Amino acid sequence: MIAVENLSFAHGDGGKIFDNFTFRVKRGEAWTVIGPSGCGKTTLLYLIAGLKKPISGRILVGGEEIKRPRPCTGLVLQDHGLLPWDTIDENTKLGLKIRKFYGPDGKHSPVNATIDPDKEEERVQYWLTWLGINHLKNAYPAQLSRGQRQRAAIARTLVLEPDLLLMDEPFSALDAPIREELQKTMNRFHKESGLTSLTVTHDIEEAVVLGEKILVLSGDSNHTSIVIDNHLLGAIDKRNTREFRDKCAELRGLLGGLRENQERANGRRPL
């Protein structure tokens, strides 16, 4: 589904965040991406979404090279991005309105997209109900909690029926109980839909809960992809088990080792 091939990228005149970096995500897999701040987690997501362009190498989604945002990719951001002057119902329909305006041009809307107001309304109500916020559809974003606004942002994306879902730290600003509730919601969604997904997170436990494969990035230039297999996808109820703690410890040790290697390479003594 996703093929990142010999990717190189840098911000301006800075050092390369990715240098000849390669990995592949199969259709239907749920991946998470972790690493220290500034390691390129969000940048990688934006490159796959077509919002940034690589210096060299290429990224393919569904066999098509990404040179601009594709209409079948869904992107959920940390800050929700809801229009404050529109109700939750209208916010959820925003992408559908844009597609209707442009038509099936292959840029703003898939070439096989059809305009069917009745079916679109059914999808909107389905996802608002599935995410537990249909009773709030006539409310405005300012009247909702952070968790409810994030649900609305997810609903707005899912009504467009994407074949790839990219999420950038979608639950990081939420309190622990709400965050776990939404993690369960996304686990259930992945189990029922089989949608390919890539979620950026700074939280090791969340990476274990949401990803069947975990991509670990380093704070230095990323040359080699480090991918950890994880059979604990969806194991929220196992957080206190030794098995879960051992997997988290494995990731912490890996991140710590990468940090020490970076400090040695920069001539600093690890703390």
Side-chain angles (χ1 to χ4, degrees), residues 137-148:
K137 66 180 182 180
N138 293 321
Y140 291 89
Q143 297 173 299
L144 274 59
S145 69
R146 283 183 174 181
Q148 290 167 338

Side-chain angles (χ1 to χ4, degrees), residues 230-247:
N230 172 44
H231 67 282
L232 292 169
L233 169 68
I236 293 179
D237 296 332
K238 293 186 177 180
R239 285 183 186 269
N240 294 322
T241 65
R242 181 173 181 177
E243 183 181 27
F244 192 94
R245 292 197 301 269
D246 285 349
K247 177 59 71 174

Side-chain angles (χ1 to χ4, degrees), residues 11-182:
H11 291 295
D13 297 328
K16 289 183 179 179
I17 300 174
F18 299 101
D19 188 7
N20 203 33
F21 190 69
T22 296
F23 71 94
R24 291 178 180 269
V25 178
K26 295 180 181 178
R27 187 176 299 277
E29 289 183 332
W31 282 49
T32 48
V33 184
I34 62 171
S37 297
C39 69
K41 300 188 297 295
T42 296
T43 297
L44 178 61
L45 211 66
Y46 283 12
L47 285 162
I48 295 172
L51 297 173
K52 292 182 180 294
K53 295 183 179 180
I55 296 173
S56 62
R58 62 177 188 165
I59 298 172
L60 297 94
V61 175
E64 177 184 352
E65 185 173 355
I66 298 302
K67 296 183 177 180
R68 55 164 293 139
R70 61 190 289 271
C72 288
T73 295
L75 180 61
V76 177
L77 302 174
Q78 181 180 347
D79 63 357
H80 320 302
L82 300 177
L83 301 178
W85 54 82
D86 272 343
T87 64
I88 296 307
D89 185 70
E90 291 300 310
N91 267 287
T92 305
K93 294 175 179 175
L94 178 61
L96 296 172
K97 291 180 179 179
I98 293 172
R99 285 187 173 183
K100 184 178 181 180
F101 178 82
Y102 286 101
D105 61 357
K107 294 181 179 180
H108 306 87
S109 180
V111 293
N112 59 350
T114 57
I115 306 300
D116 188 326
D118 290 338
K119 288 186 177 180
E120 290 173 356
E121 183 65 30
E122 286 179 10
R123 287 211 306 275
V124 169
Q125 301 313 313
Y126 173 82
W127 285 115
L128 289 176
T129 301
W130 195 90
L131 288 162
I133 54 172
N134 193 48
H135 64 294
L136 299 169
K137 66 180 182 180
N138 293 321
Y140 291 89
Q143 297 173 299
L144 274 59
S145 69
R146 283 183 174 181
Q148 290 167 338
R149 291 198 296 270
Q150 193 59 285
R151 289 172 187 266
I154 293 171
R156 181 184 57 193
T157 300
L158 296 183
V159 296
L160 297 175
E161 299 183 314
D163 60 10
L164 172 62
L165 180 62
L166 305 175
M167 298 196 293
D168 185 17
E169 301 204 37
F171 314 133
S172 62
L174 305 179
D175 293 336
I178 300 173
R179 185 167 62 245
E180 290 185 11
E181 183 181 348
L182 282 174

Side-chain angles (χ1 to χ4, degrees), residues 166-264:
L166 305 175
M167 298 196 293
D168 185 17
E169 301 204 37
F171 314 133
S172 62
L174 305 179
D175 293 336
I178 300 173
R179 185 167 62 245
E180 290 185 11
E181 183 181 348
L182 282 174
Q183 288 169 356
K184 288 181 179 179
T185 297
M186 296 314 296
N187 283 149
R188 175 186 162 205
F189 170 71
H190 178 70
K191 185 177 181 180
E192 293 181 1
S193 70
L195 182 67
T196 309
S197 65
L198 199 68
T199 302
V200 163
T201 179
H202 67 276
D203 187 286
I204 289 176
E205 289 192 3
E206 183 167 83
V208 174
V209 167
L210 295 180
E212 61 187 288
K213 289 185 181 293
I214 303 170
L215 177 64
V216 183
L217 300 183
S218 71
D220 202 357
S221 180
N222 290 278
H223 302 275
T224 304
S225 58
I226 302 172
V227 181
I228 306 300
D229 290 323
N230 172 44
H231 67 282
L232 292 169
L233 169 68
I236 293 179
D237 296 332
K238 293 186 177 180
R239 285 183 186 269
N240 294 322
T241 65
R242 181 173 181 177
E243 183 181 27
F244 192 94
R245 292 197 301 269
D246 285 349
K247 177 59 71 174
C248 291
E250 176 188 352
L251 292 171
R252 287 191 183 93
L254 181 57
L255 288 169
L258 290 172
R259 184 175 62 251
E260 289 182 5
N261 289 339
Q262 180 187 355
E263 290 175 344
R264 290 193 183 97

